[in-house]
Amino acid sequence: MLPEIFGQHFLYVIMDIDIKQNTMGVPHYSSPDQILLRKEYEKYSEIRYLIVNELKENIEHLITEIESNPVVSARIKNFHSYFSKYIRLLKNGQSEPLITDLMGVRIICPFLLDLPAAEGLIKQKYKITERDEKTHGTHKEFCYESIHLLIEIPQEIIKKHGHPGTDIIEIQIRTILQDAWAEVEHELVYKAEFNPFDEPMRRKLSAINASLSLADIIFQEIRDHQKKYSKEMGKRRETFFQKIEESTDSLLFTAEALKNNIEASFTEFEAENLDNIHSIDDLLVSALSAHNQNRFNEAISKYTRILELKPDNAICSIIYKHRAMANFACSQYEPAIEDFSSALVYDPQSYKAAYYRGVVRSVLKQYLPAIDDYTLSLTINPYQSFCLFRRGQAYYHIGDYPSALADCENSLALEPENRSASKFKNILHQKLKM
């Protein structure tokens, strides 16, 4: 009687192998019964398909909190691959080959730091029986890296679909580049059993792998820098917009507008040695950091240093906008207007620079030039509720209430939840006695 092929835990395939002594005294092993193996393999095919796809969906939902949106795929090892691996394990001395990757889920992440994040989420949800940070490949100089986790299939899934012949499923976690190299290496080297004796060919494969590994590191560095930049930009915008609200809305909603206009406070600072900063990106992050900490003179100095490096027009426009905001924050309004004007020279499509210049002119009660700036901004990008609202305020201050109401209503159409615009609309209705 043939033994059971699929055990309770793994794919234990116990072959009817006769060990005999040949004339040389070397053990002889009979060939595995491929027909019997295929029959038992196919017995669980439908169940494995249902289980691996449910786990894939669960893991996709689990990792949604990773902002880079990793891609999840699932696969079932086909019989040819299963049988080939079974033979390899026999050749390597396993009399009872243990195959743990019959079912697999792969998580492909854009960045290196996404890997521990994905692994941490898997650990929270599933019971891990084995972890291996593998370095795969036929030749170590062009192998690939990959995190492999063996997890127990949750009992509720097994009860739902039936037992798949194994309690274990493999989860692989890689970056996009690690996965790309793994696929190529598998086809060129591992699957084809290719042994590149030619030294130039070995160097080429090794160089490609090293380049991909370096690219992963550089992508992560860029991502880290991007996050730091975005964080500082967010803080800077919040401070800037707060002053806009305090400097313009107060003209409408309080009687002592100018008295309540908040002036920026200055703090002493110890300037960094700018000679140690060689990258425009690093210098910009440093300037933004100083800006966000209300060290406006330092920020203005660093923005000026960047402009002295003569970057391209797009960067110049951005830096002029930043420096204008710093000038505005410390109530240096004329320099702010000049910088916003320079930003428009370097980028005539910068609708934000036009809008911001209009805001500064509104603070100075230069309402007609402010209306021109707002109109320029809306010509470039007409879908700006905040710009329509500000232009409506400027119209209000010159007594053009119908135009102010039209802008206010258009602003509310784009942003119905804007309480300031709703309050402004009520003021205009009273003025027009509607």
Side-chain angles (χ1 to χ4, degrees):
M1 178 178 178
L2 290 173
E4 180 184 359
I5 291 183
F6 288 77
Q8 181 67 18
H9 296 288
F10 299 98
L11 294 177
Y12 287 116
V13 184
I14 306 174
M15 302 307 303
D16 186 17
I17 300 175
D18 294 325
I19 302 179
K20 302 176 183 178
Q21 297 293 323
N22 61 17
T23 55
M24 300 296 294
V26 179
H28 171 74
Y29 296 90
S30 62
S31 299
D33 190 332
Q34 185 178 142
I35 295 176
L36 180 59
L37 282 172
R38 182 182 290 276
K39 180 179 178 181
E40 291 298 328
Y41 170 89
E42 293 175 351
K43 177 180 176 181
Y44 299 95
S45 294
E46 184 176 351
I47 293 174
R48 288 193 292 267
Y49 175 82
L50 294 172
I51 286 177
V52 78
N53 278 284
E54 180 164 341
L55 282 168
K56 171 183 174 289
E57 292 176 2
N58 292 346
I59 291 172
E60 281 178 330
H61 179 74
L62 181 65
I63 63 172
T64 52
E65 64 181 76
I66 299 177
E67 63 179 344
S68 62
N69 298 316
V71 175
V72 181
S73 62
R75 66 106 182 96
I76 299 172
K77 189 182 287 293
N78 61 39
F79 178 75
H80 175 75
S81 297
Y82 160 72
F83 187 71
S84 296
K85 185 167 186 176
Y86 180 80
I87 295 298
R88 286 198 305 273
L89 294 177
L90 276 180
K91 288 166 63 177
N92 290 337
Q94 290 191 25
S95 60
E96 298 179 355
L98 181 62
I99 299 177
T100 59
D101 63 343
L102 183 61
M103 292 183 290
V105 172
R106 187 173 295 167
I107 304 172
I108 307 300
C109 303
F111 304 104
L112 284 170
L113 285 185
D114 295 332
L115 304 184
E119 182 178 356
L121 292 170
I122 296 297
K123 287 181 177 179
Q124 292 176 18
K125 179 70 174 179
Y126 300 102
K127 182 178 179 180
I128 296 176
T129 63
E130 183 179 325
R131 180 193 186 277
D132 192 3
E133 195 161 346
K134 297 192 176 184
T135 305
H136 272 259
T138 310
H139 305 279
K140 67 179 182 179
E141 64 265 39
F142 35 87
C143 60
Y144 66 90
E145 296 179 353
S146 182
I147 297 173
H148 288 207
L149 306 174
L150 299 183
I151 68 166
E152 287 187 6
I153 302 171
Q155 286 301 308
E156 60 269 21
I157 293 181
I158 292 178
K159 290 178 181 178
K160 178 179 178 181
H161 299 293
H163 202 282
T166 176
D167 291 332
I168 298 297
I169 188 168
E170 182 183 70
I171 297 178
Q172 298 176 353
I173 308 174
R174 303 173 182 164
T175 65
I176 294 171
L177 296 182
Q178 287 172 350
D179 187 61
W181 175 248
E183 294 297 325
V184 173
E185 194 271 348
H186 188 72
E187 290 294 326
L188 289 182
V189 180
Y190 181 76
K191 193 173 178 180
E193 297 184 356
F194 170 61
N195 188 356
F197 292 107
D198 183 67
E199 189 61 30
M201 184 65 70
R202 294 175 70 92
R203 286 200 298 268
K204 288 177 182 178
L205 287 171
S206 180
I208 293 171
N209 186 28
S211 297
L212 291 173
S213 298
L214 179 60
D216 256 337
I217 294 170
I218 293 173
F219 285 154
Q220 185 61 58
E221 289 177 350
I222 293 172
R223 181 65 163 178
D224 292 343
H225 185 88
Q226 180 189 57
K227 285 185 175 181
K228 185 175 181 182
Y229 174 79
S230 297
K231 181 179 179 181
E232 298 297 341
M233 282 283 288
K235 291 179 183 177
R236 193 247 329 131
R237 288 193 192 99
E238 184 178 351
T239 301
F240 181 68
F241 292 145
Q242 182 180 357
K243 176 150 186 176
I244 290 177
E245 299 297 323
E246 292 163 346
S247 300
T248 57
D249 289 354
S250 59
L251 295 172
L252 284 175
F253 305 136
T254 68
E256 301 180 350
L258 294 179
K259 186 182 295 185
N260 293 332
N261 185 25
I262 297 178
E263 302 293 338
S265 61
F266 292 91
T267 58
E268 294 296 323
F269 64 91
E270 183 176 341
E272 298 177 26
N273 182 0
L274 298 183
D275 293 333
N276 292 330
I277 302 178
H278 303 288
S279 163
I280 288 179
D281 287 334
D282 290 340
L283 190 54
L284 178 55
V285 171
S286 179
L288 289 171
S289 179
H291 193 155
N292 293 333
Q293 296 172 32
N294 295 338
R295 305 197 317 262
F296 299 119
N297 284 343
E298 180 183 356
I300 291 169
S301 175
K302 290 181 178 180
Y303 292 139
T304 302
R305 172 68 183 276
I306 296 173
L307 292 169
E308 290 171 351
L309 296 175
K310 300 187 182 304
D312 62 35
N313 287 357
I315 295 175
C316 279
S317 180
I318 292 170
I319 301 307
Y320 273 118
K321 277 189 293 185
H322 289 328
R323 194 173 73 174
M325 290 177 180
N327 280 316
F328 178 80
C330 54
S331 301
Q332 297 176 171
Y333 297 128
E334 291 301 334
I337 290 174
E338 291 176 7
D339 279 347
F340 284 133
S341 298
S342 295
L344 279 165
V345 169
Y346 284 99
D347 180 9
Q349 296 301 306
S350 179
Y351 64 92
K352 289 185 178 179
Y355 164 68
Y356 294 152
R357 188 173 65 182
V359 168
V360 180
R361 285 174 167 162
S362 290
V363 172
L364 295 175
K365 298 186 178 182
Q366 300 172 2
Y367 297 118
L368 288 176
I371 289 171
D372 290 340
D373 285 336
Y374 295 138
T375 301
L376 172 60
S377 182
L378 289 165
T379 300
I380 300 169
N381 176 11
Y383 306 107
Q384 301 179 74
S385 63
F386 45 86
C387 191
L388 287 163
F389 175 51
R390 300 299 172 198
R391 189 173 69 173
Q393 286 183 323
Y395 277 129
Y396 173 90
H397 287 297
I398 64 173
D400 187 351
Y401 303 134
S403 295
L405 181 60
D407 274 351
C408 184
E409 289 177 339
N410 287 330
S411 175
L412 284 167
L414 291 171
E415 190 179 351
E417 302 302 319
N418 187 332
R419 294 182 179 180
S420 294
S422 296
K423 188 175 179 181
F424 183 37
K425 183 178 178 180
N426 292 333
I427 292 173
L428 289 167
H429 280 172
Q430 292 173 9
K431 286 287 186 181
L432 294 168
K433 298 186 182 199
M434 298 176 66

